[in-house]
Amino acid sequence: MIPLLFLGLMILSFGVFILPKSTRYGYTLCLIFLMIALTSVAALFPRLITNPLPNLLAYTVPDTLSSFFILLINFTSATAFLYAGGYLKPYYDKQTSLRWSVHLWAFAWLYISMIL
């Protein structure tokens, strides 16, 4: 179930392109923290991972070392995204709407690529 939820959040990340500019950071923040919660649960409690579609969605259960690195990536990504929100605030009005969306979308996909 967790992999399907994570896949759904990956698809929802494209929603950043259609939302108003003022809500994009909050939307991306919620998506990233939901992904962090899902992967942290999978890392801490690997027995909760079930695969309802075994032929379509192949994955492995994380071992102890993988779980440690998943939690490390989660902590680093969460603090980096929170810091980036304040750091990029002066540039918010100078950037076009599309550029801001691409930046937030790329940050979300950077996190996804590190986890996968």
Side-chain angles (χ1 to χ4, degrees):
M1 190 63 171
I2 289 176
L4 288 177
L5 291 172
F6 192 77
L7 182 64
L9 290 172
M10 288 169 58
I11 293 168
L12 285 175
S13 71
F14 290 99
V16 76
F17 290 102
I18 59 173
L19 291 173
K21 189 176 179 182
S22 61
T23 61
R24 290 179 184 166
Y25 178 77
Y27 178 78
T28 310
L29 182 70
C30 289
L31 282 179
I32 286 179
F33 275 94
L34 284 172
M35 285 189 260
I36 286 173
L38 284 174
T39 55
S40 294
V41 167
L44 294 172
F45 308 105
R47 296 181 195 267
L48 292 178
I49 298 176
T50 59
N51 193 356
L53 304 171
N55 295 331
L56 299 176
L57 192 60
Y59 60 90
T60 58
V61 176
D63 61 349
T64 307
L65 184 61
S66 299
S67 296
F68 171 74
F69 281 108
I70 288 171
L71 295 173
L72 184 66
I73 289 168
N74 286 345
F75 175 75
T76 305
S77 297
T79 54
F81 195 73
L82 289 173
Y83 179 78
Y87 180 78
L88 294 174
K89 195 167 250 176
Y91 303 104
Y92 181 75
D93 293 328
K94 298 175 186 176
Q95 297 295 327
T96 64
S97 181
L98 179 63
R99 238 180 132 148
W100 188 248
S101 297
V102 168
H103 174 76
L104 293 172
W105 178 81
F107 194 95
W109 276 86
L110 172 66
Y111 168 74
I112 291 167
S113 68
M114 287 190 291
I115 286 295
L116 295 180

